[in-house]
Amino acid sequence: MYSFPDRGGRELTLRPEGTAPVCRAYVEHGMFKLTKPVKLWYYAPMFRYERPQAGRYREHYQFGAEALGSDDPLVDAEVIAMLGQIYDELEIGDLTLAVNSMGDAECRPAYTELLRDFLAVHADELCGECRERTVLNPLRTFDCKVESCRAVLAGAPHLVDHLCDPCRRHFDTVLELLRKVGLDPVLDFRLVRGLDYYTRTTFEYQSNSLGFAQSTIGGGGRYDGLVELIGGPPTPGFGFGSGLERVTLVSGLEEQEDEGPLAYVVTFTEEARADAFALTQHLRRELLIDAECDLVARSAKAQLKQAGRSGAELAVLVGLDDVAAGEVRVRDLDNGDEEDVAVDELGDWFDDWLDDDGLDGHGHHHGNGNGNPLGGNGGGEAS
Ligand code: HAM
């Protein structure tokens, strides 16, 4: 955990993950009264005091979902399948779905003893940390990356072989459901995960294309005892968390170019600057047109140049002598076509233009407001 004293000497810890906070909120806001399962999601920065390396940071962004109130294996399968679908839509290929079961309070204690005895016999072959883990938390030895430890653990008894009947049935059903929807879960006895609240199913999606150790782009599992531990009623839960930075590293989607505004408002006289400013606000707020105007007192010529450079498709020219009051001149920056348009009618004009333009690459949205921010004609809503 990322813990430190602040200037006032208070001990602070930055949030490391989202599951425990969600359970705390579930209890605090009485969500156990809601229809079950209660489905929640989050997207937030998380902090861990780890040694930074490729794909592992002290601050990362995590999106996650939690389903509380059902221990039905369908929930496990649904959440795992949903995350798989999210990765599909992000065009992330070449993933391994690793799964394991951590058992429950019924079967895990006996297994832990079994593992502890096994590790004690092999103490000489273990690293110092794993010798400590043997006493404190033997299951965590499966996490160890030291080669000699891994060799020992390969011969260790595995929890999946020591599940009680209800846990066995639960896990078998999860596997069956995942296969039924076309997923290919790979049993991984090392998948104990770094958090202590897990019971029964744990899972990870691991990328085979990342060329470094931090290949897990998302994972999670079941935590049937956590809500009660936090002070709520006995409530089973299942969820996942996925790191956005790692997802970005493997996503097949192109980074979105900054396309610039749709319209650039150009001012032709000093006096018209305030009008141009108001019109830009009107375009943004009433017509939902992505618009910009000059903010550094450029000449009209320099503004037109800037309009082109900004990527705008249209220039809206304000303050031209030969344009009637209450009108502006709109120039299509692609072909130079110009048209004088009443400010009152800009909403309709943009609608038509975007329709004719067919599929406009900008994906700009715009409303139908027709107010006139320049005042004068028509008495629009924004005047
Ligand atoms: P976690 O495996 O610790 O699980 O983190 C979830 C994901 O967050 C990881 O798979 C990884 O993509 C990303 N992540 C974690 N630490 C870092 C880091 N230092 N730098 C970059 N990315 C990172 C949890 O946090 C659980 N709360 C998941 C869960 C939800 N279990 C049940 N419900």
Side-chain angles (χ1 to χ4, degrees):
M1 291 216 269
Y2 206 136
S3 302
F4 54 90
D6 75 357
R7 292 197 205 182
R10 285 166 293 221
E11 278 299 326
L12 302 184
T13 294
L14 301 179
R15 173 182 55 208
E17 61 105 43
T19 308
V22 162
C23 290
R24 191 264 313 142
Y26 179 84
V27 174
E28 186 174 324
H29 300 293
M31 285 190 257
F32 38 79
K33 295 187 204 105
L34 303 175
T35 308
K36 290 175 177 59
V38 177
K39 296 178 171 181
L40 305 167
W41 71 277
Y42 50 89
Y43 169 56
M46 307 294 173
F47 302 85
R48 298 180 185 191
Y49 199 75
E50 301 181 286
R51 189 171 52 80
Q53 58 187 76
R56 188 164 87 180
Y57 318 104
R58 289 198 164 162
E59 176 181 11
H60 74 278
Y61 277 77
Q62 205 183 101
F63 62 96
E66 315 289 347
L68 291 127
S70 170
D71 65 0
D72 193 314
L74 280 167
V75 171
D76 308 41
E78 179 172 76
V79 173
I80 294 172
M82 176 178 74
L83 186 56
Q85 191 185 338
I86 290 173
Y87 292 149
D88 275 351
E89 287 176 22
L90 293 171
E91 294 176 21
I92 299 172
D94 205 9
L95 291 177
T96 296
L97 168 58
V99 295
N100 193 17
S101 174
M102 303 290 291
D104 65 3
E106 210 41 58
C107 51
R108 192 157 61 198
Y111 166 77
T112 305
E113 279 317 307
L114 196 67
L115 180 62
R116 186 173 280 138
D117 292 347
F118 171 86
L119 293 170
V121 172
H122 294 271
D124 290 352
E125 301 151 66
L126 297 175
C127 70
E129 213 176 321
C130 280
R131 278 203 294 273
E132 268 175 43
R133 287 171 174 149
T134 302
V135 183
L136 299 172
N137 195 348
L139 273 164
R140 282 288 177 82
T141 53
F142 283 111
D143 262 346
C144 189
K145 302 283 181 284
V146 177
E147 217 25 75
S148 56
C149 296
R150 288 177 73 88
V152 171
L153 267 308
H158 298 155
L159 181 40
V160 279
D161 300 324
H162 296 268
L163 298 175
C164 57
D165 285 344
C167 283
R168 181 78 251 167
R169 274 198 302 275
H170 191 275
F171 193 47
D172 286 342
T173 309
V174 171
L175 294 174
E176 182 192 320
L177 290 167
L178 292 173
R179 293 190 184 113
K180 199 171 172 79
V181 294
L183 290 165
D184 180 23
V186 176
L187 215 71
D188 181 355
F189 66 86
R190 292 186 193 275
L191 195 67
V192 293
R193 313 233 334 117
L195 298 153
D196 284 326
Y197 48 62
Y198 289 114
T199 55
R200 295 190 165 174
T201 317
T202 53
F203 77 99
E204 283 184 2
Y205 280 99
Q206 296 157 351
S207 168
N208 303 317
S209 63
L210 281 181
F212 48 84
Q214 308 303 318
S215 61
T216 299
I217 61 168
R222 182 161 279 289
Y223 46 89
D224 290 346
L226 185 56
V227 172
E228 197 175 3
L229 187 74
I230 287 175
T235 308
F238 190 96
F240 77 84
S242 183
L244 200 70
E245 294 79 4
R246 291 188 197 171
V247 164
T248 308
L249 286 170
V250 291
S251 168
L253 297 182
E254 299 282 314
E255 201 171 313
Q256 288 233 308
E257 295 276 323
D258 181 2
E259 294 168 317
L262 175 61
Y264 195 101
V265 180
V266 174
T267 323
F268 275 79
T269 60
E270 182 62 29
E271 301 76 60
R273 282 198 94 209
D275 285 347
F277 172 72
L279 180 68
T280 306
Q281 294 291 317
H282 173 69
L283 291 174
R284 290 177 183 169
R285 298 175 63 143
E286 309 300 331
L287 307 185
L288 305 185
I289 296 286
D290 189 352
E292 276 183 35
C293 66
D294 170 64
L295 298 172
V296 290
R298 291 185 177 90
S299 69
K301 200 173 146 205
Q303 288 178 58
L304 273 170
K305 217 165 149 192
Q306 181 55 29
R309 219 183 283 140
S310 75
E313 294 181 47
L314 298 165
V316 180
L317 315 182
V318 177
L320 284 172
D321 279 347
D322 60 336
V323 175
E327 290 190 346
V328 292
R329 178 163 297 163
V330 185
R331 177 187 298 176
D332 188 323
L333 291 168
D334 265 350
N335 55 23
D337 285 356
E338 292 191 346
E339 200 177 327
D340 291 352
V341 184
V343 172
D344 281 348
E345 280 153 21
L346 271 176
D348 289 337
W349 190 90
F350 273 105
D351 274 346
D352 291 346
W353 188 83
L354 287 169
D355 283 349
D356 291 347
D357 208 35
L359 260 186
D360 84 298
H362 277 69
H364 292 286
H365 300 289
H366 51 101
N368 295 314
N370 269 325
N372 181 354
L374 304 185
N377 297 2
E381 65 219 49
S383 52

